[in-house]
C-alpha cells in the first residue's frame, strides 16, 4: 500500500456536513473538504469540528478574490484555533466572468494577485502570532494598520496550511513555491499529473528553495462505480457528460492535447455553442473515460485509487457514499 491519503467532499449544509464528516472519520477517511458553489465554504467547519476529533478538514476551495486577505486571515485563524490545528485553507480564483459579473470584484493579473493573497496571509498570521508588525505592501494589497483591539493574538496552531487550486502553469508553479498543497482540477489525468503538473510544482519548489515533497498534490478524479453493471453504466454516462462539459472549455484543452485529443476538445467547444450536450457526450470515448476516471466496484475502489494515483498524488478525493465498502474494516 502507498501513503495515499483518502479524502471526501461533504455536503454544503452545516448540519449535513457535520454528520457526513463524523461518518467519514468513523470509516477511516483522512480528510473532509467543503466546496464553495451556491454556499459559503467556511460555515460548515465549526459543526464539522464539533462532530469529529482527528480528521483533517478544509475548504476545496474558498474564493480568494471575493474576500480581503485580512478577512480570510481572521476566518482561518479562528478555525485553526477551534479545530485544534486541523483546518486547511484551500483557495482558488474562479474565472473572470464570475468575479466580475457575479461578485462585482476586479479581475486583474490573477496569478500575481493570488501570490499576494498567499504572501499577505502568511505575514498576517505572523502578526497575529506576535512575530511581526503589520507591514505588507504589494501591487494589489497593502496592510499597515493593526491595533491591539483587532489583533486576535497567538494560538497553539499558527501554521495554517494553505492549498491553492491551479490549472495554469503560473498557479501550479506558485503552489510549489509558496503553498502547502495543490488542489488539482477534476479535469485531470494521472499521466498529466506525472508529466506536467508534478514537474511544474517541483520547478516552483526549487525557486522557493523547497522540494516537491513539501507540497501535497490533491487529486479529485472522476469516479465510475456502482454495485451492479447497470449502476456503473449510469455512473459512466454521467462521467462522459462531465468530461464533455469540461472538455468544451478551452482553459482545459492542455490536458486533452497532452493525450492527443486536441481535435476532440475543439469539436466539443463548437458543439457547446449550440448547447448540443448529448452529442458532446457521444464524442467522449471509452479510452477517454478510462484515462480520466477511476473505475471499479465500490469494494475495489480504494485498491484502484492506490494503483492509479499511488506515487503520483499525495491525496485523492473519493465519494463518501461508497466509503463503507472500501474503507471500513
Amino acid at each position: 500500500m502507498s501513503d495515499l491519503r483518502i479524502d471526501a467532499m461533504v455536503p454544503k449544509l452545516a448540519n449535513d456536513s457535520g454528520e457526513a464528516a463524523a461518518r467519514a472519520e468513523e470509516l477511516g477517511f483522512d480528510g473532509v473538504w467543503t466546496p464553495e458553489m451556491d454556499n459559503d465554504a467556511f460555515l460548515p467547519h465549526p459543526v464539522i469540528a464539533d462532530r469529529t476529533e482527528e480528521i483533517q478538514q478544509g475548504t476545496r476551495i474558498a474564493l480568494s478574490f471575493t474576500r480581503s486577505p485580512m478577512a480570510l486571515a481572521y476566518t482561518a485563524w479562528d478555525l485553526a484555533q477551534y479545530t485544534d490545528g486541523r483546518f486547511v485553507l484551500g483557495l482558488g480564483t474562479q474565472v473572470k466572468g464570475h468575479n466580475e459579473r457575479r461578485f462585482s470584484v476586479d479581475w486583474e493579473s490573477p496569478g500575481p494577485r493570488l501570490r499576494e493573497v498567499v504572501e499577505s496571509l502568511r505575514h498576517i498570521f505572523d502578526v497575529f502570532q506576535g512575530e511581526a508588525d503589520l507591514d505588507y505592501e504589494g501591487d494589489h494589497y497593502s496592510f499597515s494598520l493593526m491595533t491591539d483591539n483587532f489583533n486576535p493574538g497567538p494560538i497553539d496552531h499558527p501554521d495554517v496550511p494553505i492549498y491553492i487550486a491551479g490549472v495554469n502553469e503560473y498557479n501550479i508553479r506558485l503552489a510549489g513555491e509558496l503553498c502547502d498543497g495543490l488542489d488539482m482540477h477534476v479535469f485531470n489525468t494521472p499521466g498529466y499529473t506525472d508529466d506536467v503538473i508534478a514537474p511544474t510544482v517541483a520547478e516552483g519548489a526549487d525557486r522557493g528553495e523547497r522540494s516537491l515533497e513539501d507540497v501535497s498534490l490533491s487529486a479529485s478524479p472522476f469516479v465510475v462505480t456502482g454495485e451492479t453493471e447497470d449502476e456503473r453504466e449510469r455512473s459512466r454516462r454521467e462521467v462522459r457528460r462531465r468530461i464533455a462539459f469540461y472538455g468544451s472549455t478551452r482553459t482545459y484543452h492542455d490536458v486533452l492535447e497532452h493525450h492527443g485529443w486536441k481535435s476532440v476538445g475543439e469539436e466539443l467547444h463548437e458543439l457547446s455553442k449550440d448547447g448540443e450536450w448529448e452529442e458532446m457526450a457521444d464524442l467522449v470515448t471509452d479510452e477517454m473515460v478510462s484515462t480520466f476516471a477511476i473505475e471499479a466496484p465500490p469494494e475495489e475502489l480504494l485498491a484502484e485509487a492506490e494503483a492509479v494515483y499511488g506515487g503520483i498524488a499525495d491525496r485523492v478525493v473519493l465519494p463518501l457514499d461508497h466509503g463503507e465498502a472500501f474503507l471500513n474494516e
Side-chain angles (χ1 to χ4, degrees), residues 10-208:
V10 293
K12 62 185 180 181
L13 297 178
N15 231 16
D16 295 337
S17 295
E19 292 177 8
R23 180 166 179 259
E25 184 170 72
E26 182 181 358
L27 291 172
F29 279 83
D30 295 294
V32 291
W33 304 95
T34 57
E36 187 156 76
M37 299 291 288
D38 57 346
N39 63 295
D40 184 282
F42 293 107
L43 288 178
H45 284 282
V47 179
I48 291 173
D50 283 344
R51 301 193 184 183
T52 59
E53 294 181 0
E54 298 180 353
I55 198 167
Q56 202 164 30
Q57 57 184 90
T59 54
R60 198 183 200 274
I61 49 78
L63 301 184
S64 54
F65 299 157
T66 60
R67 305 169 171 95
S68 163
M70 183 62 73
L72 285 169
Y74 280 120
T75 301
W77 202 249
D78 284 346
L79 288 173
Q81 183 176 27
Y82 196 79
T83 64
D84 292 325
R86 292 189 282 142
F87 180 71
V88 177
L89 178 60
L91 298 172
T93 64
Q94 246 294 351
V95 297
K96 180 179 180 180
H98 283 278
N99 277 269
E100 291 185 340
R101 296 166 54 202
R102 182 155 65 100
F103 289 98
S104 191
V105 295
D106 293 337
W107 177 265
E108 180 184 355
S109 303
R113 186 177 174 190
L114 182 61
R115 171 185 291 276
E116 290 192 13
V117 170
V118 176
E119 288 176 345
S120 61
L121 277 167
R122 299 281 194 212
H123 177 68
I124 293 166
F125 291 156
D126 287 344
V127 172
F128 288 171
Q129 195 65 11
E131 298 174 354
D133 294 324
L134 188 64
D135 183 21
Y136 181 87
E137 186 69 35
D139 293 329
H140 303 278
Y141 300 101
S142 63
F143 301 97
S144 59
L145 176 62
M146 177 60 63
T147 62
D148 289 345
N149 284 344
F150 296 102
N151 189 331
I155 60 175
D156 291 337
H157 304 280
D159 298 321
V160 183
I162 299 176
Y163 287 24
I164 61 170
V167 174
N168 63 53
E169 186 176 320
Y170 185 99
N171 286 359
I172 294 171
R173 192 183 295 114
L174 177 63
E177 186 177 351
L178 293 182
C179 302
D180 299 284
L182 173 68
D183 286 326
M184 296 183 289
H185 198 278
V186 65
F187 195 77
N188 185 30
T189 69
Y192 191 77
T193 300
D194 208 29
D195 297 339
V196 178
I197 292 179
T200 306
V201 173
E203 181 184 336
D206 187 60
R207 288 185 182 185

Side-chain angles (χ1 to χ4, degrees), residues 20-29 320-329:
R23 180 166 179 259
E25 184 170 72
E26 182 181 358
L27 291 172
F29 279 83
L320 177 59
D321 53 355
H322 295 287
E324 193 163 357
F326 62 81
L327 275 174
N328 202 19
E329 297 180 358

Side-chain angles (χ1 to χ4, degrees), residues 132-303:
D133 294 324
L134 188 64
D135 183 21
Y136 181 87
E137 186 69 35
D139 293 329
H140 303 278
Y141 300 101
S142 63
F143 301 97
S144 59
L145 176 62
M146 177 60 63
T147 62
D148 289 345
N149 284 344
F150 296 102
N151 189 331
I155 60 175
D156 291 337
H157 304 280
D159 298 321
V160 183
I162 299 176
Y163 287 24
I164 61 170
V167 174
N168 63 53
E169 186 176 320
Y170 185 99
N171 286 359
I172 294 171
R173 192 183 295 114
L174 177 63
E177 186 177 351
L178 293 182
C179 302
D180 299 284
L182 173 68
D183 286 326
M184 296 183 289
H185 198 278
V186 65
F187 195 77
N188 185 30
T189 69
Y192 191 77
T193 300
D194 208 29
D195 297 339
V196 178
I197 292 179
T200 306
V201 173
E203 181 184 336
D206 187 60
R207 288 185 182 185
E209 299 182 346
R210 310 164 75 212
S211 73
L212 182 61
E213 286 68 35
D214 295 322
V215 188
S216 179
L217 300 184
S218 175
S220 180
F222 298 113
V223 173
V224 175
T225 193
E227 298 288 352
T228 66
E229 182 53 40
D230 284 346
E231 289 180 357
R232 287 191 290 275
E233 182 54 35
R234 286 195 294 273
S235 177
R236 197 174 294 116
R237 285 198 301 270
E238 177 58 27
V239 166
R240 284 185 199 279
R241 286 192 288 269
R242 294 184 68 197
I243 292 173
F245 171 76
Y246 286 114
S248 69
T249 303
R250 287 174 174 166
T251 303
Y252 309 126
H253 281 188
D254 285 352
V255 183
L256 292 175
E257 186 172 2
H258 182 75
H259 291 282
W261 297 321
K262 182 179 180 180
S263 61
V264 178
E266 292 171 346
E267 191 170 355
L268 287 169
H269 179 71
E270 292 302 316
L271 288 170
S272 70
K273 294 178 181 179
D274 298 321
E276 300 288 348
W277 303 110
E278 288 305 318
E279 187 174 346
M280 287 165 59
D282 291 340
L283 292 180
V284 178
T285 65
D286 290 342
E287 181 186 9
M288 293 174 72
V289 172
S290 64
T291 301
F292 275 95
I294 294 175
E295 182 168 357
E299 66 274 10
E300 299 173 18
L301 203 53
L302 178 58

